Amino acid sequence: MAAVSYLSLSVVACLCIVSVSSLSDHESFLRCISSHVSPTTNLSQLLYLPNSPDYSSLLFSSIQNLRFASSETSKPLLIVAPADEFQVQASVICCRSHGLPIRARSGVHDYEGLSYRSEKASSFVLLDLEKLRSVTVDVEHGVAWVEAGATLGELYYKVSEKSGRLGFPAGVCPTVAVGGHLSGGGFGYLSRKYGLAADNILDAKMVDADGRILDKESMGENLFWAIRGGGGASFGIIISWKVKLVPVPATVSVFTVRRTREQGAIELVYRWQNTAHKLHEDLLLRVDIVHVNRGDRKVVEAAFRSLFLGHCDGLLQHMGEHFPALGVERNDCIEMSWMDSAVYAAGYTNGEPAEILVNRELQPKDFNKGKSDYVTEPILVSGWEAIWARLSEEGAAGSMHLDPWGGRMSEISESDIPFPHRKGNLFIILYLSTWRDEGVAASTKHLGWIRSMFHFMTPYVSKRPRAAYLNYRDLDLGRNEEGNASYREAMAWGERYFKNNFRRLAMVKGEVDPHNFFSNEQSVLPLLAEAGERPHKICSTSM
């Protein structure tokens, strides 16, 4: 039997036409689109060229991170704004036949902007999925179909309209779109009870590199596995998800308790890390370590935030038994519906109505940079003192956000879906630096601080690999320079995001998109199994 060798493709292979640098042949592209969509389609509402009056407003309306809204940021050759799955299909078919790289944007929260910009392609097409935002809830069967451009806030609100006893385990930021959030994992206040958003995907519709519209049955087991936590953008265009809704009680309880160093915050965070992952799965207790103004000085504060699936009496009992040092009292606790708790978790704590979650303009635009870590061993008190000192230094320019694991998160196998960060993790850290000032000096300060903080944390976090969360994408971990990275080079970031699942993801990529049509600076590269030992010939032209 011939030996099996594994080879990677890092470029669009020989099917690739040399990408056009302008749409001088745009008539050919328009004819292609016209031949694949309904004859009644108004192309002026589907295709936006740079000279279109709506091009800039459409491009920048969904750019949340102002780092990527500058004149230096690469701009798409064309924006396609599909209103149905057949227009998505037409876009993929025509972009591929014209040798045009494609980026798909479902929302506004890509930490590195890779859904709408390119560092390695001189020309690309942006597929903006904002019009695909329907949510269909089936209360009887406890499921919902939600399109990729719908936000978490819209999903939560639509579910609550149909039932006050159903919810969905996903993130706290209501303006995040489900397309990318679910394909990267998606955790939030219900994750210790029900797992990730991706753990609760039942079906999906997507367009693959061949322009086929696929569902779970037609895409097959491997591809369905890959898109649930492996990043859908590496494998196709996600159109919609079918998700399992989860039961929630009529009443849930929340509290926010804030402590400074003088109030014992360091000791409390130390105790928290040894406690939070062991709490009952109905209770999640997270910590935000942030800078706040106290009088005329800025101090570092730990904000302990909880959600308990039940009444305050039960929450206070759990806290009294397992974390009495925090000193939670009855007047700290608030009872509300699960839907109102989603509003509260999003930072709206003054009784704002649930409708606020469907407002896509809630999130203020700013400059930001995020990085992530997982912690697998408790950090000593001396370590937390050093971390606190670092955060308290003059010029400190960021925050740390700690979410506990445990519960259902630790029961699911590392290989069940591509998201591998399960049993053995105590908590995840998001490091976040945000700023409003434009200019090189401000960016240099904040980017320098967060990179320095990340380096400082090296002794305290996971190792071999130092794990990271895909939805907190970080190009500092490595990137596919000019489209030429090998599979081995891609392991630099791939194994941090996916650990041992990265190899299977690359094999799936080799099966469904061997020519790497769907790619970005940190996408999964195709790993191909070939009979015999002859090297696989690849095209030297990068995307």
Side-chain angles (χ1 to χ4, degrees):
M1 180 178 293
V4 177
S5 62
Y6 294 97
L7 307 132
S8 69
L9 287 178
S10 59
V11 297
V12 173
C14 295
L15 73 87
C16 172
I17 305 171
V18 175
S19 296
V20 293
S21 59
S22 69
L23 278 181
S24 57
D25 60 345
H26 68 278
E27 291 184 2
S28 170
F29 187 85
L30 293 179
R31 285 196 299 271
C32 179
I33 290 288
S34 297
S35 68
H36 288 89
V37 298
S38 168
T40 61
T41 300
N42 184 344
L43 293 184
S44 67
Q45 296 179 1
L46 174 63
L47 307 176
Y48 298 84
L49 290 163
N51 60 1
S52 165
D54 296 322
Y55 173 92
S56 292
S57 61
L58 180 58
L59 174 62
F60 291 109
S61 65
S62 293
I63 295 181
Q64 201 67 40
N65 191 342
L66 297 178
R67 287 173 57 210
F68 309 122
S70 71
S71 58
E72 290 78 25
T73 302
S74 59
K75 306 296 189 299
L77 193 64
L78 173 73
I79 301 175
V80 184
D84 60 45
E85 62 190 46
F86 303 108
Q87 293 177 3
V88 176
Q89 180 183 43
S91 302
V92 171
I93 291 170
C94 296
C95 283
R96 187 171 184 185
S97 67
H98 285 72
L100 288 168
I102 194 169
R103 298 290 169 99
R105 177 173 71 182
S106 58
V108 301
H109 288 273
D110 187 324
Y111 271 78
E112 294 286 8
L114 299 185
S115 62
Y116 53 82
R117 71 181 185 100
S118 174
E119 294 185 347
K120 66 187 181 68
S122 58
S123 58
F124 66 97
V125 170
L126 170 60
L127 198 61
D128 188 290
L129 303 177
E130 185 178 355
K131 293 179 183 176
L132 299 178
R133 55 199 291 184
S134 73
V135 179
T136 304
V137 178
D138 180 348
V139 173
E140 181 181 356
H141 297 96
V143 300
W145 273 101
V146 52
E147 290 187 322
T151 65
L152 295 179
E154 289 167 345
L155 172 59
Y156 298 159
Y157 184 74
K158 291 291 187 180
V159 171
S160 73
E161 279 190 318
K162 298 292 185 178
S163 172
R165 302 301 296 271
L166 291 173
F168 186 68
V172 301
C173 183
T175 55
V176 169
V178 303
H181 184 70
L182 273 64
S183 73
F187 70 87
Y189 275 95
L190 292 178
S191 294
R192 297 189 67 252
K193 177 73 170 181
Y194 296 113
L196 301 171
D199 294 323
N200 291 276
I201 295 172
L202 301 174
D203 202 344
K205 295 187 75 173
M206 66 175 291
V207 177
D208 72 356
D210 293 323
R212 299 175 299 173
I213 298 176
L214 305 175
D215 61 10
K216 176 183 177 180
E217 181 177 357
S218 57
M219 74 177 69
E221 177 183 349
N222 284 338
L223 182 53
F224 186 61
W225 173 84
I227 62 175
R228 293 176 295 146
S234 292
F235 303 96
I237 309 296
I238 303 298
I239 297 170
S240 58
W241 302 107
K242 182 182 181 181
V243 298
K244 178 175 66 177
L245 303 178
V246 299
V248 293
T251 301
V252 303
S253 305
V254 301
F255 69 73
T256 300
V257 171
R258 306 175 191 275
R259 298 289 186 263
T260 63
R261 180 172 189 155
E262 292 75 15
Q263 296 169 317
I266 294 175
E267 176 68 23
L268 288 171
V269 173
Y270 168 75
R271 294 191 182 190
W272 170 89
Q273 70 175 350
N274 291 287
T275 302
H277 67 288
K278 301 175 184 176
L279 293 172
H280 193 280
E281 63 183 13
D282 286 348
L283 172 58
L284 183 136
L285 180 63
R286 69 190 303 265
V287 184
D288 297 321
I289 305 176
V290 298
H291 294 95
V292 297
N293 292 317
R294 292 286 179 95
D296 59 353
R297 64 191 184 105
K298 180 177 288 188
V299 300
V300 179
E301 172 189 271
F304 295 83
R305 306 180 192 276
S306 79
L307 171 70
F308 176 66
L309 300 179
H311 291 272
C312 281
D313 288 346
L315 173 55
L316 293 172
Q317 180 179 345
H318 279 289
M319 293 303 298
E321 291 176 358
H322 301 289
F323 199 7
L326 187 58
V328 180
E329 299 178 354
R330 182 61 180 83
N331 60 4
D332 295 319
C333 187
I334 308 170
E335 295 183 345
M336 58 184 65
S337 68
W338 177 79
M339 183 62 207
D340 287 336
S341 78
V343 176
Y344 183 92
Y348 301 97
T349 59
N350 296 314
E352 289 88 346
E355 288 79 7
I356 197 170
L357 294 190
V358 302
N359 180 356
R360 291 184 170 228
E361 306 301 321
L362 281 178
Q363 187 77 12
K365 295 178 183 288
D366 55 27
F367 299 86
N368 65 74
K369 169 69 178 176
K371 300 174 79 69
S372 63
D373 263 320
Y374 286 88
V375 176
T376 57
E377 298 289 339
I379 300 172
L380 298 177
V381 172
S382 58
W384 283 112
E385 288 174 343
I387 292 168
W388 218 268
R390 188 85 174 192
L391 291 168
S392 303
E393 289 177 352
E394 185 71 25
S399 55
M400 293 174 60
H401 306 268
L402 320 178
D403 283 272
W405 253 222
R408 181 63 179 148
M409 289 295 294
S410 296
E411 297 171 355
I412 299 172
S413 166
E414 286 191 356
S415 60
D416 195 62
I417 64 173
F419 181 97
H421 314 293
R422 304 290 188 169
K423 186 177 181 179
N425 290 288
L426 303 181
F427 58 96
I428 183 176
I429 303 173
L430 167 65
Y431 311 94
L432 185 62
S433 187
T434 63
W435 63 101
R436 296 292 180 89
D437 297 332
E438 298 183 24
V440 174
S443 292
T444 300
K445 171 187 174 182
H446 287 82
L447 293 175
W449 180 86
I450 195 170
R451 288 165 178 158
S452 174
M453 187 69 193
F454 185 76
H455 176 73
F456 173 81
M457 291 294 295
T458 302
Y460 306 117
V461 298
S462 62
K463 300 170 179 63
R464 294 185 298 273
R466 183 174 180 175
Y469 176 39
L470 179 63
N471 281 355
Y472 296 153
R473 190 183 294 280
D474 181 8
L475 286 179
D476 293 344
L477 304 181
R479 66 188 74 195
N480 186 2
E481 300 283 1
E482 300 300 326
N484 296 323
S486 66
Y487 167 76
R488 184 169 297 278
E489 290 169 329
M491 290 169 65
W493 65 85
E495 289 195 340
R496 290 187 181 223
Y497 292 137
F498 307 115
K499 299 174 70 173
N500 292 333
N501 293 331
F502 182 57
R503 184 177 183 83
R504 182 180 174 188
L505 283 170
M507 294 294 292
V508 175
K509 175 76 168 179
E511 294 172 3
V512 304
D513 186 17
H515 303 296
N516 204 23
F517 176 65
F518 293 111
S519 74
N520 61 47
E521 286 73 9
Q522 278 193 346
S523 56
V524 175
L525 298 178
L527 190 62
L528 306 181
E530 292 288 329
E533 296 295 338
R534 291 180 300 171
H536 191 85
K537 183 177 180 181
I538 63 173
C539 177
S540 61
T541 304
S542 64
M543 285 183 66

